[in-house]
Amino acid sequence: MDSVSEKLQIFQPVNVDESIAREEWHTYHPFTKSFKNSDEIEIVINQQDVFMDISQAELYIEAKFLEEVSTVVKTGKCSLTNNVGAFLFESITYELNGKVIDKVRDPGLISTVKSLLCLNQNESTALDVAGWNWPNGTVKSYEPQTDNFSLLIPLNFLLNVFSDYTSAIMGTQKLKLVRAKKDDNCYVNSEGNKKADITILNIELRVKHIYPNDSVKLKLFEAISKDKPVFIGFRKWEIHELPALRQARKDVWTVKAASERARYVVVFFQEDRKDNYKADGTYFDNLKITDVKLYLNSEAYHMNP
């Protein structure tokens, strides 16, 4: 039969998706209540017979922003940086049934670069509750010593896997957060020497449970009983750091080989910004690089900065 325009399919019945009977939000808490620097924070979800939409999960963080108290006069004013929530952690790992699915090292820097490249203005505005305040820069709405501040960060903002994989997941899951060794990337005081601390008061993981209707549920459990494999495909972002450029006209940087095929390579420069509270770690520097060449296997790519 010849194809007919959708506008002329006037006798087609109405299709209503009733495969999902209901959805509910549930909150999970970490085993430990210690959220100090370098602490490991684990949130375990042990719900074997429940389908969950982890791609829409949200990490809730409540914290206090305190400037240092000193007998010596300190100058300047501390302000939270853009993307402060991601910079609170050194690494974030997601495990499913005991297997590491995704691990992000330096989530603050990776999510900053990814968001600057991939988000439009409306998407950036929607992430204001997550602490992403681009292009306004520092988060000025929270003043030290006055109020606690809270963040609601989508898990797909921090972990690459949930930017691409959006299907429901079942099984034992673990979210492991490692606090940063220090919080100098979370705030900035460019005009003085006063420092600050961020104390995390509470962390929660909010996850949507999905309950399919009986017929769909029966088919899903039948496939699970047969150990049918689930393929979780996603684009992984990795960061490789060159400690310093040589003081010469040319430098060669050898990056370790990866088993996955690289789709994009992003080169950016920062000068004395990492772990430096006097310089904003969400900004990048123009080092007057005139030429960049990338050698990938046997092919060469030329980039004009």
Side-chain angles (χ1 to χ4, degrees):
M1 183 177 178
D2 295 336
S3 59
V4 180
S5 170
E6 185 178 341
K7 294 183 180 296
L8 297 177
Q9 296 178 14
I10 57 179
F11 300 109
Q12 288 281 10
V14 177
N15 293 319
V16 180
D17 184 0
E18 296 180 337
S19 57
I20 297 178
R22 73 181 193 277
E23 298 176 340
E24 297 176 352
W25 284 93
H26 290 251
T27 300
Y28 294 90
H29 301 272
F31 286 138
T32 176
K33 292 298 181 181
S34 178
F35 310 130
K36 297 178 181 179
N37 296 110
S38 298
D39 278 353
E40 283 193 6
I41 305 157
E42 292 186 353
I43 302 176
V44 177
I45 303 174
N46 194 11
Q47 299 278 357
Q48 294 292 335
D49 299 329
V50 178
F51 296 98
M52 302 182 190
D53 188 355
I54 303 293
S55 67
Q56 291 189 27
E58 298 170 331
L59 192 67
Y60 173 77
I61 300 173
E62 185 179 356
K64 184 180 287 290
F65 182 36
L66 299 173
E67 288 183 331
E68 68 175 338
V69 178
S70 174
T71 55
V72 181
V73 176
K74 299 286 186 175
T75 59
K77 181 180 179 180
C78 300
S79 300
L80 294 175
T81 60
N82 179 37
N83 204 17
V84 56
F87 279 105
L88 287 171
F89 304 103
E90 181 179 306
S91 67
I92 300 176
T93 306
Y94 171 73
E95 297 180 13
L96 177 61
N97 295 326
K99 181 178 178 60
V100 175
I101 303 299
D102 190 15
K103 181 176 181 178
V104 176
R105 182 177 61 87
D106 204 342
L109 195 55
I110 285 186
S111 58
T112 296
V113 173
K114 184 169 70 171
S115 299
L116 290 174
L117 292 173
C118 302
L119 297 183
N120 59 37
Q121 184 59 60
N122 290 335
E123 291 169 331
S124 288
T125 302
L127 285 168
D128 182 64
V129 293
W132 177 258
N133 202 38
W134 186 261
N136 297 323
T138 55
V139 183
K140 299 182 183 299
S141 56
Y142 301 112
E143 296 294 332
Q145 264 93 4
T146 57
D147 298 306
N148 297 349
F149 69 92
S150 58
L151 304 169
L152 192 62
I153 310 174
L155 212 56
N156 58 27
F157 181 79
L158 300 171
L159 287 166
N160 306 304
V161 57
F162 298 124
S163 296
D164 294 318
Y165 188 82
T166 58
S167 298
I169 289 177
M170 175 186 283
T172 301
Q173 301 164 74
K174 180 189 292 184
L175 183 68
K176 183 185 293 184
L177 309 161
V178 179
R179 277 282 275 125
K181 293 183 177 64
K182 52 185 178 178
D183 294 323
D184 288 353
N185 294 312
C186 300
Y187 69 94
V188 62
N189 179 5
S190 58
E191 299 178 354
N193 61 352
K194 183 182 291 184
K195 301 189 69 175
D197 290 310
I198 296 178
T199 303
I200 295 180
L201 305 174
N202 186 34
I203 294 179
E204 298 175 354
L205 182 64
R206 300 175 180 179
V207 182
K208 183 188 290 185
H209 288 203
I210 300 175
Y211 299 92
N213 65 33
D214 291 340
S215 60
V216 173
K217 184 177 181 180
L218 185 63
K219 292 178 181 178
L220 289 172
F221 277 117
E222 184 179 350
I224 292 171
S225 65
K226 296 178 180 179
D227 289 331
K228 192 172 182 178
V230 176
F231 300 96
I232 302 178
F234 64 98
R235 291 164 292 184
K236 183 175 179 62
W237 288 65
E238 288 187 347
I239 187 168
H240 302 272
E241 295 181 73
L242 180 66
L245 289 170
R246 291 188 302 171
Q247 298 299 317
R249 291 188 66 252
K250 183 186 294 186
D251 201 353
V252 177
W253 179 20
T254 303
V255 181
K256 68 173 184 178
S259 57
E260 298 84 3
R261 180 179 178 182
R263 289 183 173 270
Y264 302 95
V265 177
V266 181
V267 181
F268 55 88
F269 301 94
Q270 288 187 324
E271 188 173 17
D272 195 24
R273 290 186 179 274
K274 189 170 184 178
D275 298 328
N276 180 10
Y277 72 96
K278 299 181 73 65
D280 195 327
T282 63
Y283 284 78
F284 303 94
D285 298 296
N286 180 3
L287 301 185
K288 298 181 180 179
I289 303 295
T290 58
D291 186 68
V292 178
K293 283 186 179 179
L294 169 69
Y295 295 90
L296 186 61
N297 297 328
S298 59
E299 296 189 45
Y301 301 85
H302 186 266
M303 296 177 281
N304 290 317

